Structures are given as structure tokens and as C-alpha cells.
Amino acid sequence: MSKLFECVEILDFKRIPLSAKQREGKEKIYPYYGAQGIIDYVDDYLFDGEYILVAEDGNNLKSLNENIATWAEGKFWVNNHAHILGKKQGYNLKYMYYLINSLDLRGYITGSAQPKLNQDNLANLKLEIPDKTIQDKIVGILSALDKKIEINQKVTIKLESMVKTIYDYWFMQFEFPNEEGKPYKSSGGKMVWNEELKREIPEEWANGTLEDLGEIVAGGTPSTNHPEYYSENGIAWITPNDLSNSNDKYITHGERDISEIGINNSSARLMPEGTVLLTSRAPIGYLGIAANEVCTNQGFKSIVPNGKFGSEFIYYTVEKMIGYLKLLGTGSTFTEISKAVVAKVKIVIPEELIVKRFEEMVLDICAKRKIIEKENKELVALRDFLLPLLMNGQVSFKSSYIEKNENL
């Protein structure tokens, strides 16, 4: 049995907090880390290398919605809300990172209003540490999975950029292909003044509102006083939290599912695959596309496509309106935007043929992203399944298997 301070160097004495005012005007070069990851960028760094950052405070210490340890490498700065752990002879630092994230440390947390993991409690964590050879092998497997997940995330960012570029070119700059395949506006395509929108738009286009794209649907929450309204593998029920905690565009399930009896006894409504999900409170502006039938809580004003406009077009059209939608929010406890307000937001309505051609052009790109997001869910589930088993010694791998799969 070892204690954490025997396995890592605790480097909290090197951290220096910078206030928001101090960070103002600084060139954004190096990551500036807080308790749960990067919160800003600054023009200098305190650390250069590989380190573990462990949250010192914050509600996540009790909710555990995210890992409490962050892997940081390269040049970066850290404030005083994260403990800094460095490498010590005889221990694999990446193994220690995985080990910390596999533990439930809530018994070491002090404070109720403001949870805190102090340095003494962290340093004296009692740990079962295997031989370094085993540490290295376990890290080989888990790192390979993490590397593949990271590569997939980078690919989705590139795919997203491609679709956004096409959308902007066609529907913001009005450079969609004309009948000769040339960019419409710069090739002399006729633009006309639209009095309702107070701007020029292509001649055959019109003004409209978001409700012209599809039916605006609100959600609902089954009573939590009835456990039978919720189900392990029931109907996908999405909350704003599910979108805020995910980088996925295509949404399959949230943290909880509801049962058929739950949906029948609430204002939640089952919506088809392809529905564009828009959070309308707490906060306004998270977006997703339903990858299967889903329903949501009342924090959404979703758009069910009406057949004239596809999901991708609606998604990016709404995305361009997020800043404006936030300005329309009202409320004292939290800002919210109503169904009636969402429905009447003014937009440009392109020719249906142009929208159809856009959807056809981005079809393969979006399908690829959907596949990659599904693969990443499976990889994350595999890693999270293996992590505690490997750390507890419940699962082991033959050396030949590990050597073969270290570069998954």
C-alpha cells in the first residue's frame, strides 16, 4: 500500500493564479488551466512537460459529471484551483492519472456549499500500485483507446468545418451554384431588397420565420415521484445538460431514459429522427440533431422538419441565429425563450431546390461524422469499462496481446 505523495511530485507551490483582469490583453498562446481544464490562454507558461492536474474545488468533486483529473502536456499555466502532480522515479505518471480518475474520492472531500479536495487529503490517498511493468502495460491499452478517441474528435472537427464552409458560402454569401455551376452572386446573380428582412437576398428567395422550417415542439418532464416513469433502456429523453456535456452533434440518448407510461403522463412528446434540438433555457443555444426517436424536457424548443427543408439546413440556420435568440430570452431566475418567440424569428428562405442540393452535397460528410460519433461512444464505453477492472487487477492481458494492440 502506497500513498499518493510517494508516487508523484506535488508541485502546488509553483502555481500562480491570474485574475481575469490580469489576463486581459495578453496574447492567447499558452493554455491557462483551472479546476476542470482550460479556461483561457495567456502569453507565458509555468510548466513544460507532462503533468496531472487534479481539481481542488468545484461541484464536480461531488457530482463527478467529469473526471477530476486532467492530463496536461506541453507548455501551460495553472491557477490555484488545480493540484499539480509531476513524475516520480519508478512510477508511470499516466498510470497515476488513470488511477485517480478510477477512484471515488468523495470521502476525501470537505465542505458542502463549496466542495474542496485539499492537498493533505490528496497527498495521503492510500493506493494499491502494481509493478511498473504492469503500470506500463495498462497505460499502453488505455492510451491507445484515448488516442483513437482524440483522432476521431479531430476528424469530426474537420468534417464540421467543411459543412459550415459550404453553408456559409451558399446561404450567407449567396454563392450557391447557379444554373451554369458558377457562384451565384459574384457571377452577376440578381439580388433584390427585402423590406421585411432589411437586406438584399437572391431574387427567387423570400423572407420567412423559423416555423416555416418545421413544427416547433416543447418538451416535458415526467414526475420524479413515480419511479415507473423512468427506465434503464426506454425512450431517449434529452435535457440541456446532455447537450452541454457532449461534443456530439447527433444525439441518441441522454443520461436518463423515460418509460412509455412516463411519456404518456407528461407533456413530453416523441419526435422523429432528424429533429433539430434547441435548448431554450438553462442555457439557451445548445444544438443537436436526433439520431433516433427522442423526447426532451421542457428546456427545449425543437424543430421537427416539415419535409421541405432537411435537418442539416435547419441545424445550421438555427446555429447562425443563436446570438440573436439569446438576446430574446427573458426571465429573472434564468433566461428562457418561448415557443411563440422562437417560431416568429425572421430568416431568409432559399429556393427549395437549392436547399435540396445542399443536403445532397453534405450527406456523405454528415453520415461519416455520425459513424465516427457512434464509434467514439463505443470506445469511451470500452475504456470506462476496462479502467476500473484494470486498476483493480480484475482483468489482465497477455504480453503478446498488449504489444500487438498498443497502437490501436
Side-chain angles (χ1 to χ4, degrees), residues 37 39 71 76 97 109 158 200 219 258 270 284 293 312 372:
I39 59 173
W71 182 257
F76 59 90
Y97 160 75
I109 307 304
K158 288 183 179 179
E200 283 192 332
I258 62 174
L270 194 61
I284 296 169
E293 287 188 322
E312 302 296 339
I372 291 173

Side-chain angles (χ1 to χ4, degrees), residues 67 176 363 388:
N67 287 334
F176 54 90
L363 180 65

Side-chain angles (χ1 to χ4, degrees), residues 23-284:
R23 301 196 304 270
E24 276 180 15
K26 289 187 180 292
E27 213 174 338
K28 307 298 184 182
I29 303 173
Y30 304 107
Y32 179 81
Y33 282 89
Q36 291 297 150
I38 298 170
I39 59 173
D40 202 350
Y41 287 82
V42 292
D43 60 0
D44 203 353
Y45 60 92
L46 296 173
F47 298 89
D48 184 4
E50 295 181 338
Y51 299 88
I52 303 169
L53 309 182
V54 181
E56 181 172 346
D57 48 35
N59 288 327
N60 187 61
L61 290 174
K62 289 200 169 180
S63 68
L64 299 183
N65 289 327
E66 301 175 67
N67 287 334
I68 69 165
T70 300
W71 182 257
E73 57 184 50
K75 297 179 173 70
F76 59 90
W77 196 292
V78 185
N79 69 14
N80 59 347
H81 294 284
H83 300 292
I84 303 144
L85 311 181
K87 184 178 181 180
K88 184 172 277 192
Q89 185 76 25
Y91 297 92
N92 187 313
L93 189 64
K94 196 70 174 279
Y95 175 86
M96 301 307 300
Y97 160 75
Y98 287 122
L99 178 58
I100 291 168
N101 278 331
S102 73
L103 301 174
D104 186 343
L105 302 181
R106 282 176 287 195
Y108 296 87
I109 307 304
T110 59
S112 53
Q114 297 193 3
K116 185 178 181 68
L117 175 59
N118 64 48
Q119 185 185 115
D120 189 56
N121 282 354
L122 179 65
N124 287 287
L125 283 176
K126 293 180 179 179
L127 307 168
E128 290 280 359
I129 308 292
D131 181 87
K132 188 169 183 298
T133 303
I134 300 300
Q135 295 176 40
D136 294 343
K137 289 178 177 179
I138 290 174
V139 168
I141 291 295
L142 296 175
S143 291
L145 290 169
D146 276 341
K147 184 177 180 180
K148 178 59 176 171
I149 291 166
E150 183 183 356
I151 290 170
N152 279 352
Q153 288 171 339
K154 288 179 179 177
V155 172
T156 61
I157 290 170
K158 288 183 179 179
L159 294 174
E160 177 71 0
S161 177
M162 290 168 64
V163 180
K164 279 186 174 181
T165 298
I166 296 169
Y167 179 91
D168 287 352
Y169 196 59
W170 284 33
F171 301 108
M172 303 301 290
Q173 300 175 45
F174 307 124
E175 297 290 20
F176 54 90
N178 63 15
E179 293 178 356
E180 299 173 353
K182 296 178 180 179
Y184 179 84
K185 187 175 180 180
S186 58
S187 298
K190 187 174 181 181
M191 303 289 291
V192 297
W193 178 259
N194 186 285
E195 185 60 31
E196 188 72 21
L197 297 171
K198 305 297 182 187
R199 61 180 298 192
E200 283 192 332
I201 61 174
E203 184 178 27
E204 300 299 324
W205 292 22
N207 59 277
T209 61
L210 284 179
E211 68 180 344
D212 290 322
L213 305 181
E215 182 185 2
I216 313 295
V217 178
T221 300
S223 171
T224 53
N225 294 325
H226 292 268
E228 68 274 17
Y229 289 176
Y230 294 84
S231 172
E232 282 287 323
N233 296 292
I235 299 165
W237 182 66
I238 314 300
T239 70
N241 235 18
D242 296 321
L243 265 60
S244 66
N245 290 329
S246 172
N247 292 319
D248 288 348
K249 174 181 173 183
Y250 300 99
I251 310 302
T252 54
H253 284 266
E255 189 177 345
R256 302 180 73 181
D257 285 356
I258 62 174
S259 63
E260 190 170 340
I261 189 172
I263 198 170
N264 290 336
N265 284 276
S266 73
S267 57
R269 175 176 151 187
L270 194 61
M271 298 176 291
E273 177 183 349
T275 297
V276 176
L277 310 175
L278 167 67
T279 61
S280 55
R281 73 178 190 189
I284 296 169

Side-chain angles (χ1 to χ4, degrees), residues 179 240 308 342 347:
E179 293 178 356
K308 296 179 180 179
V342 172
I347 58 170

